[in-house]
Amino acid sequence: MDATVMKALTMMLIALPTMFFVIAVFIAATKLLHKTFPGSQEDE
Amino acid sequence: MESLFLQYPWLDELLMGFIGLSWKNIVMWGISAVLIYLAVKKDYEPALLLPIGFGALLANIPHSSAISQVVGEEGFLWVLYKAGISNELFPVLIFIAIGAMCDFTPLIRRPSVMLFAAAAQFGIFATAVFATMLGFSFEQAASIGIIGAADGPTTIYVASRFAQDLLGPLSVAAYSYMSLVPVIQPPVIKAITTKAERRIKMGYENEEPVSKTTLFLFPVMVVIISGIVAPISVALIGSLMFGNLLRVCGVVDNLSNCAQNELANLVTLLLGITIGGTMSAESFLTSQVAMIMLLGAIAFVFDTAGGVLFAKILNLFSKKKINPMIGACGISAFPMSGRVIAKMALKEDPSNFIIQHAIGVNVAGQVASVVAGGLVLALIPALAK
């Protein structure tokens, strides 16, 4: 396979799992934030 | 003719526009007319397509002073290009404006929707692979893939760094396809979902209010996490979240309003006409540009399919079923994608209101597309070595 295609495939293989990992961290941190500072009806 | 010009030197000056005119310029006038038509008559992203269309017209008049690069006689479009595109200033300013417009409340209330947004970035990477197969260099292919982020400023930001020669066509493709979301997404969704799936209802139970402190800390948290993962993305994500901070802090409403209105309008105007100014016939009428247009469509199709299929996979393991259509809102075309999918759900079942879920995923798409852009920015130099 062409080296350029390999680079693009490598980018996909690295970026997609990293993306999901970062998003998972975002989700955990957002949940923690939401739990630590619960909102009231007034905030809405 | 030559002797005539020698005898009457002023004649050359007077006729240079006619003499320099070629069929390519006229074709570009046609393209410019199409962009202006789409903006004015069809209301497709008019704030961008109108300036881009007119900028393209200015760039395709032979010997146009608007794009002159002669030292001391620089055209205003060239000056704007150097001042705002080549140094990535305009996309960053646009991100401040977008951040000020974003309400992350639905995302904070249901953070798991960010997973759909991550899945919907699949088109970026799949398209980059296709682009390399079509003969583009790795840097160009990655920049083409970014069209799949459905995010104009990110596309411009990445292209201005790694594929400056393709900046015009990449921007046009990104903004054109963003405006064509209502045309592209529904058939793709229908092709990969059943009617029963499209009619799945999603409730709004256990939705707690979001505190002002959470809204305030959220942008700071996003900047720190994504900045640590990909420091190169800090300019993009940082400006987006700075805009959002202006909105939620509650003490600088004037700055927030300025970012949402004056800044957004002014930079959009300058960005559009400057991008149009890069669309000279020599750089635009090439087979590469035709391929970029095709790849842009492929990117949007893959994004939509990626988000929807991911939701379908989650449904296999989840007791609480998700309407898989909301996976398609994970692209950054906000709020158009969310509205299109909510409308589709209502069409399938007039009592199915999924607008809040769809908008939540769509807002997550804003964040995910910038994270994806940051990863691409980080990986291009690392893999290109």
Side-chain angles (χ1 to χ4, degrees):
Chain A
M1 199 180 279
D2 186 48
T4 318
V5 181
M6 278 305 293
K7 282 179 186 171
L9 277 170
T10 311
M11 181 171 76
M12 187 190 319
L13 291 176
I14 297 172
L16 275 177
T18 312
M19 176 100 198
F20 275 97
F21 172 74
V22 175
I23 292 294
V25 175
F26 276 156
I27 292 171
T30 307
K31 279 187 174 170
L32 186 71
L33 205 60
H34 196 23
K35 217 173 189 175
T36 315
F37 304 100
S40 62
Q41 289 303 328
E42 278 174 30
D43 286 319
E44 288 290 284
Chain B
M1 200 68 165
E2 285 288 315
S3 58
L4 210 62
F5 285 147
L6 279 174
Q7 201 172 350
Y8 305 105
W10 48 267
L11 207 57
D12 184 27
E13 196 66 35
L14 208 63
L15 296 177
M16 68 190 330
F18 286 107
I19 294 165
L21 197 63
S22 76
W23 66 269
K24 285 184 172 181
N25 295 117
I26 295 167
V27 171
M28 287 307 295
W29 294 353
I31 291 172
S32 155
V34 170
L35 293 175
I36 294 172
Y37 171 81
L38 289 175
V40 176
K41 279 282 175 193
K42 298 283 180 185
D43 205 27
Y44 285 171
E45 297 279 350
L48 275 153
L49 291 190
L50 182 69
I52 289 178
F54 199 75
L57 179 66
L58 298 182
N60 286 287
I61 291 171
H63 306 288
S64 167
S65 63
I67 55 163
S68 167
Q69 295 179 23
V70 178
V71 179
E73 293 173 22
E74 289 94 343
F76 82 103
L77 291 180
W78 179 242
V79 172
L80 285 173
Y81 180 84
K82 297 297 279 179
I85 303 279
S86 63
N87 59 11
E88 302 147 6
L89 178 66
F90 288 167
V92 164
L93 291 178
I94 283 279
F95 265 117
I96 295 177
I98 295 173
M101 291 176 200
C102 276
D103 178 9
F104 289 121
T105 310
L107 172 62
I108 296 169
R109 204 175 268 151
R110 200 182 279 256
S112 56
V113 296
M114 279 193 260
L115 287 172
F116 301 117
Q121 309 305 317
F122 173 67
I124 295 177
F125 306 103
T127 307
V129 174
F130 278 119
T132 54
M133 286 172 175
L134 289 173
F136 286 96
S137 71
F138 173 60
E139 290 88 339
Q140 287 175 333
S143 306
I144 293 167
I146 283 289
I147 297 173
D151 191 332
T154 304
T155 308
I156 294 167
Y157 192 90
V158 175
S160 61
R161 194 167 276 214
F162 295 108
Q164 287 211 353
D165 48 330
L166 300 178
L167 186 63
L170 286 173
S171 312
V172 171
Y175 283 113
S176 307
Y177 289 124
M178 274 163 67
S179 64
L180 289 174
V181 160
V183 181
I184 299 172
Q185 287 204 311
V188 179
I189 294 169
K190 281 190 177 170
I192 54 177
T193 54
T194 63
K195 198 171 177 62
E197 284 174 328
R198 294 195 295 273
R199 296 179 75 153
I200 292 174
K201 288 186 178 174
M202 295 172 71
Y204 291 97
E205 62 272 13
N206 301 327
E207 294 211 326
E208 291 165 12
V210 176
S211 72
K212 283 183 179 150
T213 314
T214 306
L215 280 172
F216 178 80
L217 291 175
F218 179 78
V220 180
M221 176 203 85
V222 172
V223 169
I224 292 172
I225 295 173
S226 51
I228 285 173
V229 174
I232 201 167
S233 71
V234 170
L236 279 184
I237 198 91
S239 51
L240 183 76
M241 292 303 156
F242 170 62
N244 191 252
L245 199 62
L246 293 178
R247 177 195 175 97
V248 297
C249 71
V251 289
V252 284
D253 286 348
N254 51 344
L255 295 188
S256 170
N257 290 334
C258 172
Q260 291 181 49
N261 299 292
E262 288 85 357
L263 182 69
N265 292 335
L266 185 63
V267 183
T268 302
L269 188 158
L270 296 178
L271 186 73
I273 199 160
T274 312
I275 293 295
T278 65
M279 290 168 59
S280 62
E282 295 74 35
S283 65
F284 205 83
L285 294 179
T286 62
S287 57
Q288 268 197 336
V289 173
M291 284 194 275
I292 288 171
M293 291 296 166
L294 177 72
L295 288 164
I298 290 174
F300 271 68
V301 170
F302 274 114
D303 281 345
T304 306
V308 173
L309 293 175
F310 184 77
K312 286 179 71 151
I313 292 169
L314 281 189
N315 272 348
L316 294 177
F317 305 100
S318 166
K319 276 184 194 165
K320 229 177 174 183
K321 299 295 176 203
I322 302 154
N323 188 320
M325 290 199 295
I326 68 162
C329 310
I331 61 170
S332 179
F334 177 84
M336 198 186 288
S337 183
R339 284 187 191 153
V340 166
I341 272 60
K343 243 186 204 173
M344 277 184 79
L346 279 175
K347 213 172 170 187
E348 296 288 342
D349 175 355
S351 65
N352 194 5
F353 297 95
I354 60 165
I355 181 89
Q356 281 197 42
H357 298 287
I359 291 292
V361 178
N362 211 179
V363 172
Q366 294 272 326
V367 178
S369 69
V370 181
V371 173
L375 287 172
V376 170
L377 280 170
L379 288 171
I380 293 176
L383 293 169
K385 281 175 194 163

